[in-house]
Amino acid sequence: MPPPNVPGSLHMGHAMFVTLEDFMVRYGRSTLWLPGTDHAGIATQLVAERMLTSEGIKRVELGRDEFAKQVWKWKEKYGGTITNQIKRLGASCDWTRECFTLDEQLSRAVIEAFVRLHEKGLIYQGSYMVN
């Protein structure tokens, strides 16, 4: 499942694609449809900052580690909105295997992939724009 962002809620485009993906999984080849959500770093930081601001707290006053804890706290409280909406749409995912893009195992896999690509010379720093 292309993971939707944690800080939002589904819109009609999401509903359409969840429906199409569900149809393909149910009536196509036997496959695992793994559900998950994306951390959407900047968007999640923004909504967590807004929450703190409403409580009279500024992000810079907290420091990096404490702010990160507050973001995780926000995710734990509000991050299930999209998951619950997808469940209500009837998506036939294997919900016992739900993932989040900042889960420890996924983060390690991303780092490993980048290291391997760098070792092969496929990731490098250059002086030109990249889309």
Side-chain angles (χ1 to χ4, degrees):
M1 173 183 292
N5 296 339
V6 167
S9 55
L10 296 182
H11 53 67
M12 289 303 292
H14 287 115
M16 180 183 76
F17 279 100
V18 167
T19 302
L20 291 172
E21 292 165 4
D22 191 51
F23 178 82
M24 290 186 287
V25 168
R26 287 179 192 245
Y27 302 106
R29 294 185 179 169
S30 179
T31 188
L32 169 63
W33 191 20
L34 191 64
T37 49
D38 182 29
H39 69 284
I42 294 171
T44 303
Q45 177 180 332
L46 182 63
V47 294
E49 278 188 62
R50 285 182 185 156
M51 177 192 69
L52 291 171
T53 301
S54 72
E55 298 171 4
I57 303 168
K58 294 183 180 178
R59 172 179 59 97
V60 293
E61 295 170 353
L62 292 177
R64 180 185 172 121
D65 291 337
E66 184 57 33
F67 178 66
K69 288 179 190 174
Q70 293 297 319
V71 171
W72 278 100
K73 191 168 123 180
W74 180 90
K75 187 263 183 194
E76 293 302 318
K77 186 172 182 179
Y78 298 104
T81 301
I82 287 179
T83 299
N84 290 331
Q85 290 173 325
I86 293 172
K87 286 179 179 179
R88 287 178 45 209
L89 285 172
S92 59
C93 306
D94 181 355
W95 292 104
T96 65
R97 297 172 68 174
E98 185 177 0
C99 300
F100 177 56
T101 53
L102 290 182
D103 287 343
E104 181 69 29
Q105 182 179 353
L106 293 177
S107 293
R108 278 195 316 264
V110 168
I111 291 168
E112 182 179 331
F114 270 92
V115 168
R116 286 182 184 183
L117 290 169
H118 182 267
E119 288 171 349
K120 291 180 181 180
L122 298 172
I123 295 178
Y124 53 89
Q125 186 173 6
S127 58
Y128 50 87
M129 296 290 290
V130 176
N131 289 339

